[in-house]
């Protein structure tokens, strides 16, 4: 009798909940249709491959190739090995040998989709060698590992074409850019949150939602869930933990989309500026969101207007200005005196923007060195370049480097803003004989104002992939990425990266 009553009560409750949810949809339906969050969900749901222009396709394929390359070279790093060991322990204790997603540079190793995305995301940012956009973030690494893992996860049920992969990738990039465009604060070098841990998580969720073919409501919830999983403090920049920001962004965005696909729900106004109850606005003090236009052939992606920056050596983007300026002043020294002689230098004056976490006079680890104006300037002066080996211990702790670092003085001028679109780097050598030699860089090669040629991009990729893949694999990856639109099964791409 009692059990029958309980069962009837539960049925009534289930019916009432369905009626309530239907009523809520009717009541707030128009409100959500007009919301910022609703417009983003509609964009994700509605975008099609034919909406990508030739410029967007070209630029995004360059981003994909470069990101794969930095992920492959990153698979040799200490932080990556720590994370892979962690993922293996976690995976095999939970799933045994059942897995199907590839890990960069780890032949034969397969992990669950989210753990593979996590490990590969860490590899991408392990050396701070991945691309940078404006406003400031690392967009590709937060998206690509997630959708590559998804392409393998979905391959048992359906093939994910290269065209589908490229579309999802661009959805993830676009969502990041649009969210950052709602804040003036986001345009400058960050101080509070590491941007890819915030917008990258949202971009991963959006790209994953697209590849999972979620409907508009599910896309809304995927974004809202991702917002609850986003954010990492800038204090962990220049530490071994910083690469985890990208790994978590790509992994947690993928998890958000999978949760939404399985019925998880969250705030449907997460991207809107709701007074008294912060959603995504919690990450930016001056957040002013706008609805996203409907997708179509007339829609202009941000990547069409704002190209990407690719790095020539593995360090924070700001280092590329000061390194180029240092190489320039070294060349002028050699022109004037025949050869570079560090002992002739009395003082080295660096003109750099104010940014605390990349102003490091005496870095004592490779990660600090990658975030030190002083170290990169002195390395470029001493060696005539900065490269991957510049951050090895035998280079970092040379007596000659320490001697140069002891001569550095930093100056901040008002016209040198902490903004990747406006900053410059200047190096002045004050010599013991009274001479002054100055080198300045306004735009380094690889910046969006001076983009890498195809030849230079391929040279970087070949160098990064060369120690990990065989020559035939490398050529197959290049061919596949450059011809993504013609690839029927994109799950073959991550198989090549082991």
């Amino acid at each position: 009798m009692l059990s029958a009553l309980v069962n009837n009560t539960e049925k009534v409750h289930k019916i009432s909940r369905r009626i309530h949810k239907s009523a809520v949809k009717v009541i707030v339906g128009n409100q959500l249709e007009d919301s910022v969050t609703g417009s983003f969900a509609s964009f994700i749901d509605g975008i099609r491959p034919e909406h990508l222009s030739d410029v967007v396709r070209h630029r995004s394929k360059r981003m994909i190739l470069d990101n794969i390359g930095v992920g492959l070279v990153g698979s040799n790093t200490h932080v990556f090995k720590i994370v892979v060991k962690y993922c293996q322990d976690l995976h095999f204790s939970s799933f045994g040998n059942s897995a199907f997603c590839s890990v960069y540079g780890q032949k034969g190793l397969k992990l669950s989709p989210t753990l593979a995305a996590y490990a590969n995301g860490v590899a991408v940012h392990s050396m701070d060698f991945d691309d940078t956009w404006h406003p400031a973030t690392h967009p590709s690494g937060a998206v690509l590992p997630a959708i590559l893992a998804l392409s393998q996860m979905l391959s048992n049920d359906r093939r994910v074409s290269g065209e589908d992969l490229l579309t999802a990738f661009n959805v993830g990039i676009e969502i990041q850019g649009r969210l950052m465009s709602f804040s003036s604060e986001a345009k400058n070098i960050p101080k509070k949150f590491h941007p890819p841990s915030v917008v990258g998580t949202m971009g991963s969720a959006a790209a994953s939602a697209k590849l999972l073919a979620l409907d508009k409501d599910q896309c809304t919830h995927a974004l809202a869930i991702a917002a609850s999983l986003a954010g990492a403090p800038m204090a962990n920049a220049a530490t071994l933990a910083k690469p985890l920001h990208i790994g978590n962004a790509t992994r947690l965005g993928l998890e958000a989309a999978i949760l939404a696909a399985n019925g998880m729900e969250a705030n449907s106004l997460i991207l809107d500026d709701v007074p008294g109850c912060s959603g995504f606005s919690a990450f930016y003090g001056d957040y002013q969101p706008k609805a996203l236009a409907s997708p179509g052939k007339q829609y202009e992606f941000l990547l069409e207007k704002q190209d990407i920056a690719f790095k020539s050596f593995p360090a924070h983007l700001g280092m590329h200005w000061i390194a180029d300026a240092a190489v320039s002043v070294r060349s002028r020294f050699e022109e004037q005196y025949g050869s570079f002689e560090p002992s002739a230098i009395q003082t080295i004056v660096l003109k750099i923007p104010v940014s605390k976490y990349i102003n490091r006079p005496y870095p004592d680890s490779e990660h600090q060195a990658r975030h030190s104006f002083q170290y990169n300037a002195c390395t470029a002066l001493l060696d005539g370049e900065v490269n991957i080996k510049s951050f090895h211990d035998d280079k970092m702790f040379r007596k000659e480097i320490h001697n140069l670092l002891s001569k550095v003085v930093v100056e901040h001028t008002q016209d040198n803003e902490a903004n990747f679109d406006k900053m410059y780097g200047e190096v002045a050598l004050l010599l013991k004989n009274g001479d002054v030699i100055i080198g300045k860089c306004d735009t380094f090669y690889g910046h969006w104002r001076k983009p890498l040629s195809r030849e230079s991009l391929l040279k970087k990729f070949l160098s990064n992939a060369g120690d990990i893949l065989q020559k035939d694999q490398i050529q197959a990856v290049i061919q596949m990425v450059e011809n993504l639109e013609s690839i029927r099964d994109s799950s073959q791409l991550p198989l090549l990266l082991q």
Side-chain angles (χ1 to χ4, degrees):
M1 182 73 174
L2 181 60
S3 62
L5 179 61
V6 170
N7 288 336
N8 287 335
T9 303
E10 287 180 349
K11 288 179 182 178
V12 170
H13 284 166
K14 286 180 181 178
I15 293 170
S16 65
R17 281 198 297 269
R18 284 199 293 269
I19 293 172
H20 173 71
K21 291 179 75 171
S22 298
V24 168
K25 284 188 177 182
V26 171
I27 293 169
V28 302
N30 291 335
Q31 178 188 355
L32 295 180
E33 283 292 331
D34 297 334
S35 71
V36 172
T37 311
S39 72
F40 272 66
S42 293
F43 176 85
I44 298 167
D45 179 48
I47 199 74
R48 299 289 179 266
E50 57 266 25
H51 299 151
L52 304 180
S53 70
D54 290 343
V55 170
V56 168
R57 289 172 179 272
H58 171 70
R59 289 178 175 175
S60 57
K61 285 190 285 187
R62 283 164 56 90
M63 293 164 70
I64 290 171
L65 186 66
D66 182 73
N67 201 254
I68 289 172
V70 299
L72 288 170
V73 73
S75 70
N76 274 329
T77 59
H78 177 53
V79 63
F80 176 76
K81 291 173 183 176
I82 292 173
V83 167
V84 166
K85 175 65 166 58
Y86 162 76
C87 289
Q88 285 178 288
D89 291 345
L90 184 61
H91 175 83
F92 290 117
S93 66
S94 302
F95 304 104
N97 292 319
S98 60
F100 35 77
C101 293
S102 306
V103 181
Y104 290 165
Q106 306 298 298
K107 200 165 189 66
L109 175 61
K110 297 292 177 67
L111 294 172
S112 67
T114 56
L115 290 179
Y118 179 53
N120 291 337
V122 169
V124 163
H125 200 55
S126 60
M127 300 168 69
D128 220 308
F129 211 178
D130 44 333
D131 58 22
T132 305
W133 209 15
H134 181 72
T137 193
H138 306 286
S140 300
V143 174
L144 187 62
I147 59 175
L148 287 179
L150 261 185
S151 73
Q152 292 185 287
M153 185 185 94
L154 296 171
S155 62
N156 289 332
D157 299 319
R158 63 179 173 90
R159 289 180 177 177
V160 175
S161 70
E163 188 89 299
D164 291 336
L165 191 83
L166 190 62
T167 303
F169 179 80
N170 277 288
V171 166
I173 301 303
E174 181 72 1
I175 295 304
Q176 293 181 71
R178 292 294 174 181
L179 288 173
M180 296 195 80
S181 72
F182 297 154
S183 166
S184 296
E185 179 185 315
K187 292 181 172 62
N188 299 324
I189 296 175
K191 298 178 182 178
K192 295 191 296 184
F193 293 99
H194 192 207
S197 74
V198 178
V199 295
T201 310
M202 308 299 285
S204 172
S208 299
K210 185 62 186 175
L211 215 54
L212 286 167
L214 301 192
D215 63 29
K216 181 185 171 183
D217 286 344
Q218 291 171 317
C219 290
T220 299
H221 294 305
L223 292 172
I225 296 164
S228 282
L229 304 175
M234 284 305 302
N236 270 333
T239 73
L240 204 61
K242 189 189 180 196
L244 304 185
H245 298 179
I246 296 283
N248 277 326
T250 194
R251 171 192 183 176
L252 296 176
L254 172 56
E255 286 187 2
I258 293 173
L259 285 168
N262 282 286
M264 181 67 73
E265 297 180 351
N267 193 313
S268 296
L269 295 174
I270 197 69
L271 302 182
D272 292 77
D273 188 15
V274 180
C277 187
S278 293
F280 190 77
S281 61
F283 296 110
Y284 297 102
D286 61 349
Y287 181 72
Q288 295 182 316
K290 297 178 182 178
L292 198 55
S294 299
K297 291 186 178 180
Q298 301 306 311
Y299 182 89
E300 186 176 33
F301 281 78
L302 288 177
L303 188 58
E304 186 140 17
K305 297 183 285 186
Q306 175 64 63
D307 202 355
I308 208 82
F310 295 112
K311 300 175 180 178
S312 58
F313 59 88
H316 183 278
L317 194 72
M319 305 306 107
H320 290 68
W321 277 274
I322 207 69
D324 271 22
V327 170
S328 171
V329 80
R330 176 191 165 102
S331 296
R332 292 177 183 179
F333 187 107
E334 291 174 330
E335 289 172 6
Q336 192 165 338
Y337 295 101
S339 62
F340 184 71
E341 182 50 64
S343 63
I345 301 171
Q346 181 73 41
T347 306
I348 302 169
V349 180
L350 306 185
K351 288 189 177 181
I352 55 175
V354 177
S355 185
K356 185 175 178 61
Y357 82 102
I358 46 179
N359 183 353
R360 298 177 183 273
Y362 293 97
D364 60 11
S365 72
E366 64 164 298
H367 295 284
Q368 288 189 13
R370 297 183 199 280
H371 295 76
S372 168
F373 280 119
Q374 294 89 334
Y375 177 78
N376 284 271
C378 290
T379 296
L381 281 172
L382 190 61
D383 300 331
E385 65 174 349
V386 183
N387 56 38
I388 287 179
K389 294 181 179 179
S390 299
F391 303 97
H392 294 176
D393 284 357
D394 61 332
K395 293 286 188 179
M396 283 182 52
F397 299 112
R398 289 175 290 174
K399 182 179 179 181
E400 296 87 346
I401 282 289
H402 189 274
N403 288 341
L404 284 180
L405 286 171
S406 69
K407 300 179 180 184
V408 173
V409 174
V410 167
E411 290 184 359
H412 305 299
T413 54
Q414 289 187 345
D415 66 329
N416 200 357
E417 299 181 41
N419 180 305
F420 291 146
D421 206 39
K422 299 178 180 179
M423 68 171 285
Y424 64 85
E426 184 177 297
V427 179
L429 302 183
L430 282 57
L431 305 185
K432 292 177 180 178
N433 66 6
D435 287 352
V436 177
I437 306 175
I438 298 174
K440 183 177 180 180
C441 175
D442 294 305
T443 305
F444 64 87
Y445 182 49
H447 190 272
W448 45 82
R449 290 193 297 267
K450 195 184 290 186
L452 292 185
S453 66
R454 179 177 181 272
E455 181 182 12
S456 295
L457 193 70
L458 287 178
K459 182 179 179 181
K460 177 185 175 182
F461 179 78
L462 291 169
S463 174
N464 286 339
D467 290 337
I468 310 299
L469 304 183
Q470 300 296 319
K471 288 184 179 180
D472 58 338
Q473 287 177 282
I474 292 173
Q475 292 305 317
V477 171
I478 294 171
Q479 184 174 6
M480 187 173 287
V481 172
E482 291 190 336
N483 298 281
L484 262 180
E485 294 91 340
S486 63
I487 302 300
R488 292 183 178 181
D489 183 4
S490 61
S491 69
Q492 299 304 303
L493 178 55
L495 290 175
L496 289 171
L497 307 180
Q498 297 181 304

